[in-house]
Amino acid sequence: MADLSIKIGHTTFKNPIFVASGTFGYGTENPELVDVSNIGAIVTKSITLNPREGNPPPRIVETPSGMINSIGLANIGVDKYINEMLPVYEEIGSPIIMNIAGSSMEEYIKVLQQMEAVSSNIVGYEINISCPNVKEGGMEFGVDCNMTEKLTKELRKLTDRLLIMKLSPNVTDISAIATSSENGGADAVSAVNTVVGMSIDHKTGKNNIYTTYGGLSGPAIKPVGLACVHKVYNSVKIPIIGIGGIVNSSDVIEYILAGSIAVQVGTANYRDPGISEKILNDLNSYLDEQELDSIDSLIGSVKTYD
Ligand code: SIN
């Protein structure tokens, strides 16, 4: 059997199949449907300084080969995360990566400071600089190289844990934002968050999402995700965690060929919260069939025509 373990920064994960923020709750919601100890890592829901109700409904709609969400970063806030979730994570059996969102540089800093002031087994932080669904902050950071580098530098000063910047596909040049993350001291980038989209009901003439636009995810965006990962792979040396439309092990292999060291399964969790375990088993079988000891030789090895 292949060795599926991977290393990002100084952290080793037992396998490269993670679950994406916002698609797996706080990691504790489906104990009867999935054995989370088999998952490479759980990236928990975005946490902000204060609790947030999120956007008014409708905030989710199914679309061809995907869905659009505009949740608006609804979450319990950092105090409750510390008091109620951290004790649970001591027992959960899967590495936890905490996703942090903020509407200002100060907010990201305060959340990270609060987290670092308490003892926890969180292995790292994924910094959400790419949420398309909030008026303040969110994507504002992830579309600007200077802001990305500054924020990364400030957060880097505060923690030795893994620091992962989550990139937006809604930019002219994702490589430039990835380079700013690397220059700021990030250990890795995750690519990509959702693609800005819109859904209209032709019968009623109404928009299907309260905020007009939302974030498109699911298989519809896999080609976008692959292109972004490949561009980033050609621009930075830090590892890339691929996200976007992964539903099976073939998708995982494609993301690895494009340049990912690991992937996050997102929207597919809504259909089957146990899908990551199945993908992991199929990935193992594929590597055995190919007589590969690990995924190392596959990373970034897509054959292009030039
Ligand atoms: C949301 O809460 O609106 C989605 C989070 C994100 O896209 O980063």
Side-chain angles (χ1 to χ4, degrees):
M1 206 188 238
D3 174 9
L4 279 179
S5 65
I6 53 147
K7 201 164 178 203
I8 303 179
H10 47 71
T11 306
T12 300
F13 296 90
K14 59 181 172 288
N15 69 65
I17 311 295
F18 300 1
V19 288
S21 175
T23 66
F24 210 73
Y26 296 102
T28 54
E29 283 83 347
N30 296 302
E32 67 292 343
L33 297 174
V34 54
D35 178 358
V36 293
S37 69
N38 291 327
I39 297 173
I42 297 171
V43 188
T44 56
K45 210 167 168 31
S46 289
I47 296 292
T48 50
L49 189 59
N50 297 311
R52 288 176 60 100
E53 287 289 322
N55 294 331
R59 52 190 199 179
I60 287 198
V61 62
E62 214 171 318
T63 56
S65 297
M67 60 174 254
I68 293 179
N69 89 80
S70 180
I71 305 298
L73 301 174
N75 77 94
I76 57 178
V78 69
D79 287 338
K80 209 165 175 187
Y81 188 83
I82 288 173
N83 294 329
E84 294 183 10
M85 300 318 303
L86 292 188
V88 178
Y89 295 151
E90 295 291 335
E91 311 286 328
I92 201 164
S94 174
I96 299 289
I97 297 172
M98 178 196 190
N99 182 298
I100 297 176
S103 55
S104 64
M105 182 98 67
E106 292 67 38
E107 184 172 356
Y108 286 102
I109 290 172
K110 278 187 185 158
V111 174
L112 198 55
Q113 278 172 332
Q114 277 191 234
M115 289 302 299
E116 287 291 299
V118 296
S119 132
S120 84
N121 66 345
I122 302 276
V123 299
Y125 304 103
E126 180 181 70
I127 308 303
N128 188 349
I129 51 168
S130 44
C131 174
N133 305 328
V134 287
K135 285 205 182 80
E136 288 172 349
M139 221 165 76
E140 204 184 315
F141 286 89
V143 297
D144 182 305
C145 289
N146 292 333
M147 276 168 88
T148 298
E149 185 166 338
K150 193 156 183 247
L151 178 65
T152 313
K153 271 191 179 142
E154 289 303 318
L155 300 180
R156 178 74 289 167
K157 287 182 207 157
L158 301 173
T159 184
D160 290 329
R161 289 188 168 98
L162 271 188
L163 187 61
I164 303 164
M165 305 306 282
K166 185 167 185 179
L167 307 185
S168 174
N170 307 299
V171 291
T172 315
D173 184 2
I174 192 167
S175 302
I177 307 290
T179 303
S180 302
S181 305
E182 183 174 54
N183 292 342
D187 295 297
V189 290
S190 45
V192 288
N193 206 327
T194 54
V195 177
V196 171
M198 183 176 187
S199 166
I200 298 171
D201 183 336
H202 74 277
K203 294 192 206 95
T204 61
K206 274 192 175 164
N207 193 320
N208 286 322
I209 288 284
Y210 182 88
T211 52
T212 308
Y213 310 116
L216 176 66
S217 61
I221 73 160
K222 189 180 77 171
V224 177
L226 287 172
C228 288
V229 166
H230 190 249
K231 285 181 184 177
V232 172
Y233 181 74
N234 286 323
S235 314
V236 298
K237 293 202 167 52
I238 53 176
I240 304 156
I241 304 167
I243 320 170
I246 294 167
V247 300
N248 56 39
S249 59
S250 310
D251 297 331
V252 174
I253 293 155
E254 289 170 23
Y255 266 97
I256 294 171
L257 291 169
S260 307
I261 192 172
V263 296
Q264 293 179 16
V265 178
T267 304
N269 289 309
Y270 291 109
R271 203 174 57 204
D272 176 3
I275 198 160
S276 302
E277 281 183 292
K278 292 169 195 148
I279 292 176
L280 181 61
N281 290 337
D282 291 348
L283 180 64
N284 253 318
S285 307
Y286 170 84
L287 294 172
D288 286 349
E289 274 158 34
Q290 300 296 314
E291 298 182 354
L292 289 170
D293 294 336
S294 74
I295 61 165
D296 291 356
S297 62
L298 297 177
I299 299 172
S301 69
V302 60
K303 299 181 189 103
T304 53
Y305 288 92
D306 48 10

